[in-house]
Amino acid sequence: MSAVSDVIRTRVDAGSGALVGYLPVGFPSFEESIDAAVAIAQNGVDVIELGLPYSDPVMDGPVIQAATQQALARGFRLSQGFEAVRRITDQVSVPVLLMTYWNPVLSYGVERFADDLVSAGGAGLITPDLIPDEAEEWLAASERTGLDRVFLAAPSSSDARLARAVEVSRGFVYAVSTMGITGARTDVDSAARSLVSRLRDAGVENTCVGLGISSAQQVREVLDYADGAIVGSALVTALSSGGVDAVARVAADLATGTSRAGEVRRDEGIRST
């Protein structure tokens, strides 16, 4: 079992579920992005999804696009992604997955990328634009290194496509709650519940729902049927408007959605109040 799977299973077995928090590297500055990632881990986030800024995203909504464009404008370089993973995992035990589009991995070299991520202490990759049918190089590299590989499943995916995503994913399958891009929504689409049910039928072990989740109530609703809830834009907005202290407060509030009444979560586990 991978570190990510282990964390998710621990949370599910405890009667709650996992909170996955997304933040981009290099926003609002490189140093602050590291401090922010550490802060959300210390305030209830179970798995960090660390986004590599990319000039041509296909999944990111306006909040995340603006943040990553700012990081790129300030000179972000891919090597800083590995440095960030190293510095975050030196400070907290929460596993860190890099979220990256596939072109940067290809340009860097798939084997080299995998080796450098392992050396930095990373847990694996989330690859939104890479489908399992075209992932032979990454499947081989992740098998060799033991890195997790998180593929996406969408409401429009065929049953055969879902079965393939379940077969090759490790860590969890990323269930896209709705068709579209990231960004906070007032309601998480009901399509997510149906998608998770179909993934269960396909034999998925862990599946986490993302896109549009921005409140503790929505986290709680998602964890009623999924193993994890993924939050991105709400955290980026807090970081943008109020800095590290603000994103820590939002993470702590979101984490209340994963806990049963009367419990408060922190980095090193669950403690009762």
Side-chain angles (χ1 to χ4, degrees):
M1 184 177 289
S2 73
V4 171
S5 292
D6 190 44
V7 165
I8 293 172
R9 282 295 100 197
T10 298
R11 296 304 187 204
V12 171
D13 292 345
S16 54
L19 176 62
V20 182
Y22 168 94
L23 286 174
V25 189
F27 174 81
S29 69
F30 182 65
E31 294 297 329
E32 287 175 290
S33 68
I34 293 171
D35 292 343
V38 170
I40 64 173
Q42 292 173 333
N43 283 276
V45 165
D46 299 302
V47 177
I48 293 173
E49 178 187 350
L50 197 62
L52 292 180
Y54 185 56
S55 59
D56 189 23
V58 297
M59 181 179 173
D60 300 337
V63 171
I64 293 176
Q65 280 192 37
T68 55
Q69 289 301 317
Q70 181 174 321
L72 290 170
R74 291 187 172 182
F76 174 82
R77 293 292 180 268
L78 185 55
S79 60
Q80 291 180 296
F82 300 114
E83 181 184 348
V85 171
R86 181 178 298 105
R87 290 176 57 181
I88 294 166
T89 54
D90 280 347
Q91 298 180 67
V92 292
S93 59
V94 169
V96 179
L97 292 166
L98 282 182
M99 195 289 275
T100 178
Y101 295 93
W102 190 236
N103 268 347
V105 181
L106 276 178
S107 298
Y108 195 80
V110 177
E111 296 291 339
R112 179 186 173 207
F113 194 104
D115 288 339
D116 287 357
L117 182 55
V118 169
S119 296
L125 293 183
I126 299 172
T127 49
D129 62 343
L130 181 66
I131 59 176
D133 314 50
E134 299 175 355
E136 184 175 347
E137 280 188 90
W138 171 231
L139 293 177
S142 56
E143 202 61 34
R144 176 178 63 81
T145 55
L147 289 167
D148 281 343
R149 49 203 188 216
V150 177
F151 290 95
L152 273 63
S156 60
S157 300
S158 67
D159 288 345
R161 178 74 68 188
L162 295 186
R164 182 61 176 155
V166 169
E167 178 187 5
V168 301
S169 290
R170 185 162 57 212
F172 63 88
V173 173
Y174 190 127
V176 179
S177 66
T178 185
M179 302 303 295
I181 57 178
T182 63
R185 294 176 173 83
T186 55
D187 296 302
V188 177
D189 289 357
S190 60
R193 186 183 293 268
S194 176
L195 175 59
V196 169
S197 177
R198 292 173 63 205
L199 287 166
R200 301 282 190 216
D201 290 341
V204 75
E205 180 183 19
N206 299 315
T207 183
C208 301
V209 172
L211 268 66
I213 302 170
S214 60
S215 69
Q217 177 61 33
Q218 289 176 328
V219 169
R220 189 173 298 111
E221 290 171 0
V222 166
L223 295 184
D224 184 50
Y225 58 89
D227 305 302
I230 305 169
V231 181
S233 294
L235 292 171
V236 177
T237 297
L239 180 60
S240 176
S241 61
V244 173
D245 289 344
V247 79
R249 288 194 296 272
V250 169
D253 179 64
L254 290 166
T256 65
T258 71
S259 303
R260 290 166 294 184
E263 293 180 337
V264 174
R265 302 245 319 271
R266 289 293 184 267
D267 180 40
E268 295 304 325
I270 301 173
R271 67 178 173 85
S272 298
T273 54

